[in-house]
Amino acid sequence: MASIPLEVSLFLSGLLFSLGLLGVLVRRNILFILMSLEIMMNAAGLAFVAASSHWGVADGQVMFIFIVTVAAAEVSVGLALVLQLYRRIHTLDSDAVSVMRG
């Protein structure tokens, strides 16, 4: 069984994290920002699993389960906020959120 070198996995993880960070910084649509956050969390999970596989311990898989749990909670809360925001201001542009100031 051939294994992928740790450097390749960490490079891919860093690339995915950078793309997610770029998406968070550049996009204005709240759904795209949430998807970019998910990409960043999956990149962190990939780094944990790659390191865990390289060193032969199960700690990375346990951390990945926690990351998936946090991602599920983030999606549920984020989508609920997006739905409420869309009902109030009829747009998903993050610049329009400043209208919500009290």
Side-chain angles (χ1 to χ4, degrees), residues 34-54:
L34 285 175
M35 287 192 312
S36 296
L37 286 172
E38 290 294 322
I39 290 172
M40 290 170 67
M41 291 208 304
N42 283 328
L46 175 64
F48 276 120
V49 169
S52 172
S53 175
H54 178 73

Side-chain angles (χ1 to χ4, degrees), residues 11-84:
F11 177 75
L12 179 62
S13 176
L15 183 67
L16 283 174
F17 191 87
S18 299
L19 286 173
L21 183 64
L22 183 69
V24 167
L25 295 176
V26 172
R27 294 292 185 164
R28 290 188 177 176
N29 189 330
I30 296 175
L31 285 177
F32 283 113
I33 292 172
L34 285 175
M35 287 192 312
S36 296
L37 286 172
E38 290 294 322
I39 290 172
M40 290 170 67
M41 291 208 304
N42 283 328
L46 175 64
F48 276 120
V49 169
S52 172
S53 175
H54 178 73
W55 289 315
V57 294
D59 296 343
Q61 283 88 358
V62 172
M63 286 303 296
F64 184 72
I65 290 172
F66 286 134
I67 288 172
V68 168
T69 305
V70 169
E74 183 252 335
V75 165
S76 63
V77 171
L79 288 179
L81 287 172
V82 165
L83 284 173
Q84 289 299 319

